[in-house]
Each structure stands twice: as C-alpha cells, then as structure tokens.
Amino acid sequence: MSPKDKNSASTSSGGNRSPHHNLKNIPAEWSEPVTPLERTLVPKFAARAYHLPGNSSLCADWLQYMLNNHPVIGICCHHRLHPLKTRQRCIILLGSFAFGVAITNICYLWFISTGRDAEQEVFSIDLNAQESAHYSVTAGLVMLVTVGSGIHTIFDRFVWSVSACRCCRAGGTFESNSINSPNRSRWQDFGTYLVVLLVALVIAAASFIVIVRAKMDGEGQTEIPYIQDNNTTLTDIVDSVKDFTLDDFSFMKAYCIEFAVSLFVYYPFFDTVLFSGVLGCFRLPLLGGRPYEVRKEEKKNNGKSGTRRVSALEMA
C-alpha cells in the first residue's frame, strides 16, 4: 500500500472521532456533554430564578430559592448543578463583608469631611404604650439605609452575576457544545477569576479604611489622615497599626452584629417579599416574583397541557 493510501485509510478510520481527539490532558468535565437538565436548570440558577420549571408547589420554590441563593445557607445547601460552588460562594461572602465594612466607614468619613452631624435627628417615632418610647432616626442611619445599602446590594448582585457567568454556562448564549472543547471551561471560569481579583481589591481598600477609622477614633482626630491632614503620610498610617488596641476597633464589633442580623433576619424577610411578587402586582418582570415567572412558563408551555410536566428537581 502506498503512503498516500495509508494516509487515506487512516483518515477514513478516524472519521467518527471527535475533532479534538488529538488534545491531551483534558479534564474529564470538559469532555462530558451538556445534558438537557443542565440546559434547563443552570440558566435558572444563575439568574436567581424564583420558580423552577415543573414545580407546582409554592413552598418547594421558596425552599429551593433560599437554599440556592442565601449567602450563608447556600454554601452548604445549594443544588449540585448550581454554577456557584462552595469556594465561589465563600469568596462572594467575604467580598460582601469587606464591601459592607468599606461603605459603612466611607459614609462615616463623609460626614466628618463635610462637617455634617451624623447624629442629627431626621425624624422620630413616639409609641404610646404603657411606657412611652421615643425612637430617633439620625442622618447617619438614613445615609446607611439608603445610599449605603443600595450600593452594597448593587455590588452583591454584580459579583454574583459575574461569578455565575450565565451566558457561558449550559443553556447560555455563548455555551460551547463541542465535546472536549478547551474553551468551554476556560470561559466559564473567567468570571470566577475576575471576582477573585475584585474581592482582593475590595479587601485591601476596606483594610485601609478601617485603619484610618481606628486611627481617628484612637487619637480623637477630626480630620481624615492623608486626605485632609496633609502632614500624615501612608507610612505613618501603616506604622500606627502596631499601637492599636482592640478598643480602637470597637466599631467593627457593631458591624459584625449588623451583618449577621442582615443575613439571617433582613435577607429572608425582604427576599420573601420579592419572591411573593407583591411589589410588582404579580405581573411586572423584575418585581413580579414567582407569580410572574409561573405565568411566563405557562405561556411558554401553552398547548402542551396534555403532557405531564416533571419537576426539574425530580429529574435531578
């Protein structure tokens, strides 16, 4: 047989092989084909969907939503097909904590730099009970609840979306269907690497702001070091760390308590309100909650009422 015939025979015998059969050392998960279940669930999980296809129970949808999206509970209880795994969720939680520390102290420093009184009363609430109670709402609290919480929420959702990278996952716009494609996992992990870099920068910024705040509280300064006080250099700020005591970081204890309360009290409450759809009259796209998504699924499956729909979680 001539060399030309051998090459022809070799080509014909390998005609059924994958176009990437000559690639070596490819992780096993890259060579696994994407299943229909993944194409159904993964985009829903990445989008923080209130409703999963086929679920007819309100309680089942609420439970899956909390288990898959809660910042702490989701670390251990998320679905096996969820694009955000345990390590990614820990990074996101750490970034959220650091960003909260940064934005809280930035608001505090803003009041100092502008000469405004953070303790100034904006309005008060008087309760006529057996013992009269007077609750005062200060300008600092209003600043944190509105501007601070709003920016914090935007940061959390942005980091979640980038890390989940919905468009590159199964069922996404840029999903790679090629078996053994090296680009498949590479693009899926791009968002994770970007989030790690972003969280590292946030932690560095939060650490610097905390040191500045501790230095001001410890020395009773009314000017922000290095920003308003030009006589203070970065070296002076870093060198002052060794002189700090735990009392200088007392504001961090208060923030840790606030963060824990927000995770286990405020988060379940407000997300349940969003889940119910009451804010969007059950019909608006972003605020319609589960009722809107159920109605959207029913329209999509219109004409298939004779076919029993199996819950996606049952298929898993």
Side-chain angles (χ1 to χ4, degrees):
M1 182 180 294
S2 65
K4 182 177 180 180
D5 295 336
K6 290 182 179 179
N7 291 336
S8 177
S10 176
T11 303
S12 62
S13 63
N16 295 329
R17 293 184 183 180
S18 167
H20 300 281
H21 72 277
N22 57 336
L23 297 177
K24 297 180 180 180
N25 301 323
I26 296 178
E29 60 269 19
W30 291 7
S31 61
E32 295 177 358
V34 178
T35 64
L37 181 61
E38 288 182 89
R39 287 196 176 92
T40 300
L41 286 182
V42 172
K44 294 289 186 180
F45 287 145
R48 303 170 66 96
Y50 300 113
H51 171 68
L52 293 182
N55 268 2
S56 58
S57 171
L58 175 68
C59 294
D61 273 334
W62 182 87
L63 185 61
Q64 70 82 19
Y65 179 79
M66 285 298 171
L67 294 181
N68 285 305
N69 297 297
H70 192 277
V72 177
I73 299 175
I75 293 177
C76 302
C77 302
H78 61 272
H79 192 271
R80 63 181 181 85
L81 292 179
H82 201 290
L84 295 183
K85 307 305 180 184
T86 300
R87 184 178 302 177
Q88 295 168 282
R89 290 172 180 269
C90 291
I91 294 174
I92 292 175
L93 180 62
L94 180 61
S96 178
F97 178 84
F99 190 86
V101 171
I103 197 66
T104 299
N105 287 283
I106 286 175
C107 292
Y108 170 81
L109 296 177
W110 180 81
F111 276 101
I112 293 180
S113 63
T114 57
R116 291 178 171 84
D117 184 11
E119 299 300 325
Q120 181 182 0
E121 183 178 277
V122 178
F123 63 90
S124 61
I125 301 174
D126 293 318
L127 299 179
N128 295 323
Q130 294 180 353
E131 296 182 1
S132 60
H134 179 81
Y135 296 96
S136 177
V137 179
T138 63
L141 179 60
V142 172
M143 181 78 168
L144 289 176
V145 172
T146 55
V147 178
S149 299
I151 297 176
H152 196 173
T153 301
I154 293 174
F155 173 82
D156 287 346
R157 292 304 171 98
F158 173 77
V159 169
W160 175 283
S161 300
V162 172
S163 187
C165 197
R166 177 185 178 185
C167 59
C168 297
R169 301 285 178 177
T173 305
F174 302 107
E175 173 200 359
S176 175
N177 295 328
S178 301
I179 298 177
N180 294 338
S181 170
N183 292 325
R184 175 178 169 185
S185 184
R186 183 182 305 167
W187 287 110
Q188 289 179 358
D189 293 338
F190 175 76
T192 301
Y193 299 143
L194 184 61
V195 167
V196 170
L197 176 61
L198 180 60
V199 169
L201 294 176
V202 169
I203 292 175
S207 300
F208 176 77
I209 294 173
V210 166
I211 293 174
V212 171
R213 169 77 182 273
K215 182 177 177 62
M216 293 181 63
D217 290 350
E219 299 178 2
Q221 296 183 3
T222 57
E223 292 185 344
I224 302 176
Y226 185 69
I227 298 176
Q228 290 180 310
D229 185 4
N230 296 327
N231 296 324
T232 304
T233 63
L234 288 175
T235 304
D236 295 334
I237 296 176
V238 174
D239 291 341
S240 63
V241 174
K242 60 184 179 182
D243 299 326
F244 288 153
T245 62
L246 291 178
D247 292 337
D248 295 327
F249 297 96
S250 59
F251 60 92
M252 286 297 299
K253 299 177 184 178
Y255 175 76
C256 290
I257 296 175
E258 293 174 7
F259 190 71
V261 172
S262 67
L263 286 177
F264 296 104
V265 178
Y266 295 144
Y267 184 95
F269 174 76
F270 286 110
D271 268 44
T272 299
V273 172
L274 292 174
F275 176 88
S276 68
V278 65
L279 297 180
C281 299
F282 313 109
R283 294 181 178 276
L284 297 181
L286 295 178
L287 300 176
R290 181 183 182 271
Y292 170 80
E293 295 187 2
V294 170
R295 188 177 292 106
K296 185 178 179 180
E297 182 191 358
E298 290 176 350
K299 290 182 179 180
K300 183 179 179 180
N301 295 326
N302 190 22
K304 300 180 181 180
S305 57
T307 304
R308 179 182 180 270
R309 290 176 293 157
V310 181
S311 169
L313 292 179
E314 291 178 11
M315 295 171 61

